[in-house]
Amino acid sequence: MLPDTFKIIFKRDLEQLKEEINLFEKEPAIWVTAGDIKNSAGNLCLHIVGNLNAYIGVGLAKTNYIRNRDSEFLIKGVPKNTLIQQVEDTIKIVLSGLDQLTEKQLSGNFPLRIWDKPTGMEYTLIQLACHLNYHLGQINYLRRFLDRNEK
């Protein structure tokens, strides 16, 4: 079933997000940017958490999450263990929302309008998974770049 595939992918990538944040040896580096890289790993983590809570959380898990997208990029210095806890909480919300998803719903529209027109459920979930994975790759690259330049 496709809903199970979505659960596997989101859980895998969110677990990897926790691992990436945890791999920062020096906690302040989570909030460092470099050169043309304008977003820190910490801000990207907050952005991923905000995005998934705003869309899968509200749209599928029926939470009351209120997103402040600007703060995802402005907040600094959140402790590593707090970021990891936020990701763990997001995993639970995402899996809860996807658990409620039926095969029939996959052929309909996503319950929230994210872009300028209604979009299909499958398309939207693929876009959200791609968005997560894109920023996960940025975090991985930034962490390795900063680690290399620390030595």
Side-chain angles (χ1 to χ4, degrees):
M1 274 177 48
L2 198 50
D4 291 333
T5 302
F6 283 122
K7 288 189 326 193
I8 291 166
I9 290 169
F10 279 103
K11 185 171 189 326
R12 177 200 66 200
D13 289 351
L14 286 166
E15 290 289 347
Q16 185 60 44
L17 175 58
K18 283 184 357 187
E19 180 66 16
E20 288 296 334
I21 296 300
N22 200 43
L23 284 171
F24 276 87
E25 293 177 18
K26 296 180 179 170
E27 193 163 329
I30 293 171
W31 302 98
V32 172
T33 60
D36 288 339
I37 301 170
K38 302 298 181 206
N39 296 312
S40 69
N43 289 116
L44 290 170
C45 180
L46 292 173
H47 177 60
I48 291 167
V49 164
N51 182 270
L52 293 175
N53 276 287
Y55 299 126
I56 294 179
V58 173
L60 300 181
K62 306 297 183 209
T63 67
N64 294 319
Y65 183 82
I66 297 173
R67 186 177 191 190
N68 182 345
R69 188 178 184 282
D70 290 342
S71 73
E72 296 165 13
F73 297 99
L74 297 174
I75 293 173
K76 307 290 182 213
V78 176
K80 181 193 288 192
N81 62 342
T82 302
L83 290 174
I84 290 170
Q85 184 61 55
Q86 287 181 7
V87 176
E88 288 174 355
D89 294 344
T90 301
I91 291 170
K92 291 174 189 165
I93 295 293
V94 167
L95 294 180
S96 171
L98 294 173
D99 277 340
Q100 298 174 48
L101 186 62
T102 66
E103 288 284 341
K104 183 178 180 181
Q105 288 173 305
L106 283 172
S107 62
N109 282 334
F110 194 76
L112 302 175
R113 184 176 280 194
I114 298 175
W115 300 285
D116 51 345
K117 63 181 179 179
T119 53
M121 180 72 73
E122 259 183 65
Y123 173 84
T124 302
L125 291 173
I126 290 169
Q127 283 295 103
L128 292 172
C130 290
H131 177 262
L132 162 60
N133 197 269
Y134 175 75
H135 289 312
L136 179 58
Q138 288 179 310
I139 292 168
N140 172 273
Y141 184 84
L142 182 57
R143 179 187 55 76
R144 290 181 296 117
F145 176 80
L146 293 171
D147 282 351
R148 185 182 68 223
N149 287 332
E150 282 285 316
K151 297 176 181 174

